[in-house]
Amino acid sequence: MDKKKPDDQEKDMEHMDHDSHEDHGDHMDHEEHKDHGSHHAHMLADFKRRFIVSIILTVPVLILSPAIQGFLGFDLPLPGSEYILFLLSAVVYFYGGYPFLTGFIDEMRKKTPGMMTLIAVAISVAFLYSSAVVFGLSGKMFFWELVTLIDIMLLGHWLEMRSVMGASRALEELVKIMPSEAHLLKGDDVKDVRVDELETGDRVLVKPGEKVPVDGDVLKGETSVNEAMLTGESMPVTKSEGDEVIGGSVNEQGSIEVEVRKTGKDTYLNQVIDLVRNAQESRSKTQDLANRAALILTVIALSVGAITLAAWLYFGSEFVFALERAVTVMVITCPHALGLAIPLVVAVSTSLAANSGLLIRDRQAFERARNVQAIVFDKTGTLTQGKFGVTDVVSLAAMEEDEVLALSASLESNSAHPLAVGIVSSAKEKDLDITGPDEFNSMPGKGIEGIINGRKLKVVSPGYLRENEITVTDDEVEKIEEKGKTVVFLLEDDKTVGALGLADIVRNESKEAIANLKSMDIKCMMLTGDNEFVARQVSEELGLDEYFAGVLPHQKAETIKDVQKDYVVAMVGDGVNDAPALVQADVGIAIGAGTDVAVESADIVLVKNDPRNVTDIIMLSGNTYSKMVQNLIWATGYNAFAIPLAAGVLFSYGILLSPAAGALLMSLSTVIVAINAKTLKM
């Protein structure tokens, strides 16, 4: 795969003072998406309510069941007990079993029989046959098997929904980035209007610290704009007359007038929203393991049940006996343990993950993680700290390097610009003396100036030097620039006395994470909106297999698609610009300290903000899958013994599996499944 080549352009350093950002609201209608989330919450509450009601009604059913009384050795004669059993079981069947009966209908419509079909067949056969026995048919009642089966299936589905619930609110979070109001210019008058009232061609005023309300072109003014949340570009970008600005980006310094170029669904941010939505809707879902097992058992239950009935009738048995054997087969074929086999492992793995700083939001994606062949990392805030630090100090006069850094930090101490913060932090790490400036003046897009202990100083961008025809010839400075680092210059009395090289600091954890993943034969790649030089420097430092530089959000999803042609891909990111790629990837992983939209778009969240946890995800996914397979074997394996015995293949030897004995086997498999799930480790 070829790397994405960015335009070769030099980005100058811009300085600013941060004013507090204005509050913003959500001005777009996403009721449909909110309804989707509330629907999941309603379903979870519904399963819990049905489970509680069913478990309460199960107690008297168990006490009144002849099989349970015989098994426990007590007798509780009660006139009309069989009718009480029928009524209580009917409530559990229709109320508790409602989700499975409707699920069965849905699976039949979609021609995808699975767990719902198996459960519906088992409980329906047990209820209808037992009801017939109550009203005159000779045979045994299966009411207690019916209600306990419904209880366990409700519990299993409730646990599963509870562990994976948290439907994505990515679209809502994206919209929150946009301000709700704009300053509309009409002649010399300024009027605050709702953003959705703006039309193409309108002029709006954007003040320092405010978010740009829509996509447009700068008509007047000069400023620096922070687009990191949208494009992934870590450096603020200078904007002046004729330049484009993106809705949602932050105006950091001067006031500007902007002509509205795009509104509504045509804006850059809304295109990102559409990318997220489309990727969410188009993602294919792998078929659940339990559903596949359930489909096989459904076929076995119906076919073996029918064969059992036909065989006993063929050999001259009474219809009542043959029917009882067939029903026993079909009820026993649906093991209680199967309903807990997957949910129990999910619950344990979710708990293990949470304790290790991993939040699983999509179980199917988590299961896919075991097959990941390539991981694509965002750069800023993921592999790097997302903040600048001084990496190089160069003295260009008779001045110590520490003095260059200390004077620069003193001048920058009143600024909240990312570069200023980085310079001050680096000076503090060295315990250098930082003195506040006596005078201070910001030069938007150029730098900063002030007086420190009577010395007239400036910290400026390369653009300022060019503009004032100040030439700096130094091999060390050139080497720093060649590495793609940001260089600023310290001037005293308009003479260059020093230079600072700054870069987004690579996390120490990233180096260990990449080494671990490569030891597992997983390809490690990087995706960034930064330029080629910065991307290459970080890639070489970490030993990545591949990198893609200068990639915008709408290109990121496409880049992931390209990588997916060759690999099963996981994407790790933390910003709005990563959201489409996170959703497009086979597994989307968000850094927990990142933006809400990245977290809501992801399948898994690294709560501890540590890229090394990616290795833990893959290992836990593999272990979890193994436990699921083991549990499915335990949950269904006893059928190899129970079904033939229930059908009566050893009847001539006096061996016939009774419903009570079948229930004991089911209970044993359930206990084994529970214990096995608890043994899951990272």
Side-chain angles (χ1 to χ4, degrees):
M1 289 174 288
D2 296 331
K3 300 180 183 70
K4 303 285 185 184
K5 299 293 183 183
D7 294 330
D8 291 327
Q9 57 181 11
E10 185 180 55
K11 290 183 166 42
D12 292 339
M13 180 194 88
E14 303 83 32
H15 277 332
M16 61 85 190
D17 284 316
H18 258 309
D19 295 327
S20 60
H21 295 173
E22 66 169 5
D23 292 336
H24 56 80
D26 188 347
H27 68 282
M28 296 181 66
D29 182 13
H30 282 274
E31 291 303 320
E32 182 179 345
H33 193 76
K34 292 177 183 176
D35 288 345
H36 184 66
S38 62
H39 174 65
H40 280 278
H42 173 74
M43 287 181 62
L44 182 67
D46 185 61
F47 267 104
K48 181 180 180 181
R49 184 168 52 251
R50 292 178 190 275
F51 170 70
I52 292 173
V53 171
S54 298
I55 203 73
I56 291 173
L57 295 178
T58 295
V59 175
V61 171
L62 292 176
I63 294 174
L64 295 174
S65 293
I68 298 299
Q69 292 180 13
F71 182 75
L72 297 179
F74 74 94
D75 186 28
L76 185 64
L78 184 67
S81 61
E82 65 272 19
Y83 297 107
I84 297 174
L85 275 173
F86 166 73
L87 291 174
L88 293 173
S89 300
V91 174
V92 175
Y93 173 72
F94 286 108
Y95 180 71
Y98 178 80
F100 309 114
L101 298 174
T102 54
F104 160 69
I105 295 173
D106 185 55
E107 287 183 349
M108 289 298 98
R109 284 175 180 166
K110 295 179 180 178
K111 299 179 180 179
T112 56
M115 181 67 78
M116 294 299 183
T117 301
L118 177 61
I119 299 171
V121 168
I123 64 176
S124 296
V125 168
F127 177 71
L128 294 175
Y129 176 78
S130 300
S131 300
V133 171
V134 170
F135 293 101
L137 182 69
S138 177
K140 296 183 177 65
M141 293 181 293
F142 290 90
F143 285 133
W144 79 268
E145 289 95 333
L146 161 71
V147 295
T148 54
L149 178 57
I150 290 175
D151 291 340
I152 287 186
M153 293 304 169
L154 282 172
L155 175 62
H157 280 72
W158 176 53
L159 287 174
E160 182 175 9
M161 289 188 67
R162 184 183 174 192
S163 65
V164 301
M165 191 186 140
S168 174
R169 296 186 299 273
L171 304 185
E172 295 170 42
E173 297 298 337
L174 277 169
V175 172
K176 288 179 182 178
I177 294 171
M178 297 296 290
S180 60
E181 292 187 342
H183 310 303
L184 177 64
L185 292 170
K186 291 290 187 181
D188 294 331
D189 297 330
V190 180
K191 179 184 178 182
D192 288 346
V193 299
R194 292 183 61 82
V195 171
D196 53 12
E197 295 177 14
L198 294 176
E199 298 178 355
T200 303
D202 283 345
R203 292 183 303 125
V204 295
L205 175 67
V206 186
K207 300 176 183 179
E210 294 182 342
K211 290 182 178 179
V212 179
V214 290
D215 294 3
D217 298 320
V218 178
L219 293 177
K220 186 185 299 184
E222 184 177 0
T223 188
S224 58
V225 175
N226 189 335
E227 298 178 345
M229 295 291 289
L230 299 166
T231 66
E233 175 59 65
S234 53
M235 279 293 298
V237 183
T238 299
K239 298 292 183 180
S240 56
E241 186 175 337
D243 291 334
E244 296 179 0
V245 288
I246 301 173
S249 58
V250 180
N251 178 25
E252 295 191 332
Q253 183 54 44
S255 294
I256 54 174
E257 289 185 18
V258 175
E259 181 180 1
V260 177
R261 182 165 48 84
K262 293 180 181 179
T263 61
K265 294 187 178 295
D266 295 328
T267 62
Y268 185 86
L269 184 59
N270 272 293
Q271 290 173 358
V272 175
I273 292 174
D274 287 338
L275 283 171
V276 175
R277 181 186 291 114
N278 293 337
Q280 284 176 326
E281 292 174 354
S282 64
R283 169 183 286 169
S284 61
K285 296 292 186 181
T286 56
Q287 187 181 16
D288 188 88
L289 274 175
N291 276 334
R292 276 181 275 175
L295 173 59
I296 295 172
L297 286 179
T298 301
V299 173
I300 292 174
L302 294 175
S303 57
V304 176
I307 292 171
T308 300
L309 177 65
W312 281 110
L313 290 175
Y314 176 78
F315 288 110
S317 296
E318 294 183 3
F319 176 77
V320 171
F321 178 81
L323 182 61
E324 181 183 311
R325 288 298 94 208
V327 170
T328 302
V329 166
M330 285 189 278
V331 172
I332 284 179
T333 304
C334 184
H336 291 50
L338 183 59
L340 292 177
I342 300 301
L344 278 177
V345 177
V346 169
V348 174
S349 65
T350 301
S351 176
L352 275 176
N355 291 333
S356 302
L358 316 174
L359 175 61
I360 299 172
R361 302 187 68 253
D362 186 317
R363 180 175 59 82
Q364 290 183 332
F366 170 67
E367 290 172 11
R368 286 195 296 271
R370 75 186 192 280
N371 297 320
V372 164
Q373 300 167 309
I375 296 181
V376 182
F377 290 89
D378 169 53
K379 181 186 79 69
T380 307
T382 303
L383 291 175
T384 66
Q385 296 178 11
K387 58 184 180 181
F388 287 93
V390 175
T391 58
D392 304 270
V393 180
V394 181
S395 175
L396 300 173
M399 186 181 293
E400 294 293 329
E401 291 182 357
D402 281 355
E403 186 180 1
V404 172
L405 179 56
L407 289 173
S408 300
S410 296
L411 192 59
E412 296 280 16
S413 60
N414 284 351
S415 175
H417 189 282
L419 293 181
V421 172
I423 292 172
V424 174
S425 296
S426 297
K428 287 181 177 178
E429 287 176 5
K430 286 193 165 190
D431 292 325
L432 300 180
D433 185 28
I434 299 176
T435 305
D438 298 320
E439 294 182 17
F440 175 86
N441 180 47
S442 178
M443 299 180 290
K446 300 174 184 178
I448 197 170
E449 62 183 354
I451 296 178
I452 305 289
N453 296 329
R455 302 169 70 175
K456 187 177 179 182
L457 302 170
K458 294 179 183 177
V459 175
V460 298
S461 68
Y464 177 88
L465 298 186
R466 289 196 303 270
E467 187 178 309
N468 291 273
E469 298 181 351
I470 299 174
T471 303
V472 175
T473 304
D474 185 90
D475 291 341
E476 194 170 347
V477 172
E478 289 180 4
K479 289 179 181 178
I480 296 171
E481 290 176 330
E482 287 174 0
K483 292 180 180 179
K485 298 181 181 181
T486 298
V487 179
V488 298
F489 296 90
L490 175 66
L491 275 60
E492 183 172 6
D493 297 324
D494 289 327
K495 294 181 180 179
T496 53
V497 295
L500 302 176
L502 296 100
D504 190 1
I505 307 299
V506 173
R507 297 170 182 265
N508 290 328
E509 303 94 333
S510 298
K511 298 177 182 179
E512 185 178 343
I514 299 301
N516 291 339
L517 291 168
K518 292 184 74 172
S519 70
M520 298 167 66
D521 293 326
I522 295 175
K523 298 290 183 182
C524 296
M525 307 176 185
M526 181 178 70
L527 199 58
T528 179
D530 271 336
N531 62 54
E532 174 80 15
F533 303 106
V534 173
R536 183 169 61 242
Q537 174 68 22
V538 174
S539 177
E540 291 174 353
E541 184 174 347
L542 291 174
L544 299 175
D545 296 295
E546 188 76 76
Y547 68 89
F548 306 90
V551 186
L552 297 176
H554 64 280
Q555 297 171 321
K556 285 192 172 184
E558 290 300 321
T559 303
I560 294 296
K561 285 183 182 179
D562 290 340
V563 180
Q564 284 175 316
K565 294 176 182 177
D566 300 309
Y567 305 104
V568 177
V569 179
M571 169 70 190
V572 185
D574 75 327
V576 173
N577 55 298
D578 302 318
L582 286 171
V583 178
Q584 175 59 45
D586 298 289
V587 183
I589 304 171
I591 292 288
T595 62
D596 288 340
V597 65
V599 170
E600 294 299 337
S601 299
D603 304 307
I604 302 165
V605 179
L606 307 185
V607 180
K608 294 181 179 178
N609 202 18
D610 188 341
R612 292 175 298 185
N613 287 148
V614 176
T615 306
D616 297 331
I617 290 169
I618 295 172
M619 294 181 66
L620 181 59
S621 173
N623 294 342
T624 298
Y625 185 80
S626 296
K627 285 296 179 184
M628 287 181 176
V629 173
Q630 292 168 18
N631 268 8
L632 286 175
I633 292 173
W634 281 114
T636 59
Y638 88 98
N639 282 289
F641 301 98
I643 290 177
L645 293 178
V649 294
L650 298 180
F651 181 71
S652 59
Y653 295 94
I655 300 174
L656 187 65
L657 185 68
S658 68
L664 184 61
L665 283 175
M666 283 193 291
S667 299
L668 181 60
S669 67
T670 303
V671 171
I672 292 174
V673 161
I675 294 174
N676 191 48
K678 287 293 185 182
T679 62
L680 176 64
K681 304 294 182 184
M682 288 288 290

